[in-house]
Amino acid sequence: MRILLQRVKRAEVRIREESDEGPIERVSGRIHGGYVLLVGFTHSDTLQEVEWMADKVMGLRLFPDEAQKLNCDLVEQGGALLVVSQFTLYADARKGRRPSFIDAAKPEIAIPLYNQFVMYLRQQGLQVETGEFGATMDVELVNDGPVTIWLERGTPTST
């Protein structure tokens, strides 16, 4: 499981769709301060990675205290989350000019994990807005800081 976390002042995701009258856009999720999480899954991810990553996101101290030190977490700040599925986080562009996405989980694996991730965060009392899995989306955000963190957790290997 991979997440690109960005601390934001505000963010929203719009879904682009075709209708009989032409293209339309609708807002799927919007937050006013907190984190945008671009989330990708690989084939071996399980509920264990999902819960570990959710706890990690909630516990990171990425907001300034009175002394401007990064000592406050999302809950202390009263921030929200905008969670967007992003299979391209598993792109492999080491060879050629067209990335391979073979390491990205197929929708039948990724969709339930994505839904469990969002549900787990909501169960912790957080405001969680989302994009839509598999949709064509425009993600607009105002970075705060900027603070951008790469988080990754794979299935533990036994040694």
Side-chain angles (χ1 to χ4, degrees):
M1 183 173 181
R2 292 179 177 167
I3 290 182
L4 182 67
L5 176 154
Q6 294 180 304
R7 190 179 76 185
V8 298
K9 292 181 185 235
R10 65 183 175 277
E12 75 176 30
V13 61
R14 290 180 301 279
I15 309 298
R16 288 181 280 148
E17 299 174 316
E18 289 295 323
S19 72
D20 293 339
E21 293 82 36
I24 59 169
E25 281 190 354
R26 63 181 167 79
V27 173
S28 172
R30 178 181 292 139
I31 64 170
H32 302 286
Y35 300 149
V36 168
L37 305 178
L38 304 178
V39 182
F41 300 95
T42 193
H43 311 290
S44 59
D45 286 336
T46 66
L47 187 57
Q48 181 180 1
E49 283 78 40
V50 166
E51 290 179 358
W52 183 92
M53 191 66 81
D55 290 337
K56 175 60 78 176
V57 166
M58 290 184 304
L60 286 172
R61 298 186 307 171
L62 298 176
F63 292 94
D65 61 13
E66 306 82 31
Q68 298 306 306
K69 302 286 185 195
L70 297 182
N71 279 328
C72 298
D73 65 27
L74 185 69
V75 174
E76 292 168 321
Q77 184 66 24
L81 296 166
L82 178 59
V83 181
V84 179
S85 63
Q86 184 101 25
F87 77 93
T88 59
L89 290 176
Y90 277 95
D92 182 351
R94 291 176 291 181
K95 295 183 194 173
R97 297 185 323 170
R98 179 177 294 146
S100 167
F101 299 103
I102 197 162
D103 291 334
K106 294 189 182 317
E108 54 269 18
I109 294 170
I111 291 172
L113 291 172
Y114 175 79
N115 290 335
Q116 289 171 335
F117 182 67
V118 169
M119 184 177 62
Y120 185 85
L121 290 165
R122 286 179 175 152
Q123 288 172 342
Q124 309 313 307
L126 295 171
Q127 176 195 346
V128 181
E129 300 290 324
T130 66
E132 288 183 16
F133 195 95
T136 301
M137 297 176 272
D138 292 334
V139 180
E140 185 175 308
L141 58 94
V142 175
N143 245 324
D144 183 12
V147 173
T148 302
I149 306 284
W150 179 262
L151 302 169
E152 187 165 15
R153 166 128 172 152
T155 305
T157 57
S158 50
T159 53

